[in-house]
Amino acid sequence: MDVFTDFGFEAAHRLPNVPPGHKCGRLHGHSFHAEIHVRGDALAHSGWIMDFADIKRAFTPLYEQLDHNFLNEIEGLSNPTCENLARWIWRRLQPALPGLCKVVIRETCTSGCVYRGEDD
């Protein structure tokens, strides 16, 4: 079973490695959503896998780095694609959330990325 918490944050970025003239190469912003998924067995006593507050507590330091900031200036996000952002979040959350199984990043209502720690 998986549980998840959805976090919203506002941030600006530009993608430095797109072809010349590509709209994403210009400075722009998004209302990002990050879903943090944790997998495990529901504990008999509590009936839950993990307290949602524990997921929030783990994500809060990352939220504070990301929200209302220029992503390109954050260590490790010089090319802040959805894919790189998902991987960046995973690598920072995984030690605090042992059941972490998926990070979903949505940069628009219709576009995003799913990362399951494949290359970590």
Side-chain angles (χ1 to χ4, degrees), residues 7-8 11 24 28 31 38 49-50 63 76 86 89 93-94 98 103 109-111 113:
F7 300 94
C24 293
H28 63 285
S31 296
V38 176
I49 294 169
M50 175 179 276
Y63 172 85
I89 290 171
L93 278 184
Q94 205 278 328
V103 173
C109 305
T110 59
S111 301
C113 170

Side-chain angles (χ1 to χ4, degrees), residues 4-117:
F4 69 92
T5 303
D6 184 18
F7 300 94
F9 60 94
E10 311 295 325
H13 72 159
R14 59 175 295 282
L15 301 183
N17 299 333
V18 295
H22 192 286
K23 67 180 182 177
C24 293
R26 295 189 301 269
L27 178 64
H28 63 285
H30 294 286
S31 296
F32 288 91
H33 282 267
E35 279 182 23
I36 308 304
H37 291 248
V38 176
R39 177 169 292 153
D41 296 322
L43 301 175
H45 175 72
S46 65
W48 62 27
I49 294 169
M50 175 179 276
D51 188 336
F52 292 121
D54 293 336
I55 300 172
K56 183 177 182 180
R57 191 172 10 267
F59 188 77
T60 295
L62 303 182
Y63 172 85
E64 291 171 355
Q65 289 181 68
L66 299 168
D67 188 49
H68 283 85
N69 280 302
F70 181 44
L71 298 181
N72 299 68
E73 294 178 346
I74 297 172
E75 179 79 28
L77 285 176
S78 60
N79 182 25
T81 62
C82 272
E83 296 87 344
N84 288 334
L85 180 57
R87 187 180 298 113
W88 184 90
I89 290 171
W90 177 282
R91 289 178 176 163
R92 283 150 183 82
L93 278 184
Q94 205 278 328
L97 293 174
L100 182 64
C101 65
K102 181 167 57 172
V103 173
V104 179
I105 301 296
R106 291 186 316 274
E107 71 175 34
T108 70
C109 305
T110 59
S111 301
C113 170
V114 177
Y115 183 68
R116 295 181 181 90

